[in-house]
Amino acid sequence: MAINSERIQQLEDVEKEIAQALQTAGQALTELSKDKPTMKGVEQNLQNFLKIVESIETNLSKHISYLTQISTGNVHEGSCYSAHRDLRLSNDRQEHIRARVERLLAQSMSQK
């Protein structure tokens, strides 16, 4: 369970980075909207924005890769998704077989 809460925390950090990126972009636009914008300020805000976006992209790519691994059934450290899926499918097959046997028994009883 600690792995899940760690992943949620990482996603919350990404969310904060997104807010920071928007704030930095806003600062760059504010600088550009001035009568006499300083190119140094604009460039600095732009560089900060690009670094934050790169970090966001890297972190989201890691999470997407993790989700791809567990959704395809590949064994992954700390993941029990595959085992839960197998259990659910086994239970579904068992229920199908039980229902089929009950129908066959009912048919054989009605023929007697």
Side-chain angles (χ1 to χ4, degrees):
M1 200 52 87
I3 292 174
N4 291 336
S5 62
E6 184 179 314
R7 291 209 172 271
I8 290 171
Q9 180 60 47
Q10 290 170 352
L11 288 172
E12 287 175 358
D13 292 343
V14 169
E15 185 178 12
K16 289 175 187 173
E17 283 183 312
I18 292 170
Q20 185 180 6
L22 292 173
Q23 183 179 13
T24 304
Q27 290 170 349
L29 291 173
T30 300
E31 185 64 35
L32 282 171
S33 68
K34 292 181 180 178
D35 288 336
K36 294 184 180 181
T38 61
M39 290 312 290
K40 183 177 179 180
V42 173
E43 287 177 10
Q44 184 179 8
N45 284 323
L46 180 59
Q47 289 302 319
N48 288 340
F49 175 77
L50 293 175
K51 285 179 187 176
I52 295 168
V53 169
E54 185 178 334
S55 173
I56 292 168
E57 182 180 12
T58 300
N59 289 329
L60 287 179
S61 292
K62 288 178 185 177
H63 286 284
I64 290 169
S65 176
Y66 169 76
L67 291 173
T68 301
Q69 285 178 336
I70 64 169
S71 68
T72 58
N74 292 343
V75 178
H76 185 269
E77 182 179 316
S79 174
C80 58
Y81 172 80
S82 180
H84 284 287
R85 186 191 64 203
D86 291 345
L87 175 63
R88 188 171 22 108
L89 290 173
S90 295
N91 286 338
D92 290 346
R93 284 191 295 266
Q94 178 187 7
E95 181 61 29
H96 177 73
I97 291 169
R98 186 190 61 74
R100 179 84 186 239
V101 168
E102 285 178 359
R103 274 184 286 177
L104 290 172
L105 284 172
Q107 285 177 352
S108 69
M109 294 296 218
S110 67
Q111 291 177 357
K112 288 184 179 182

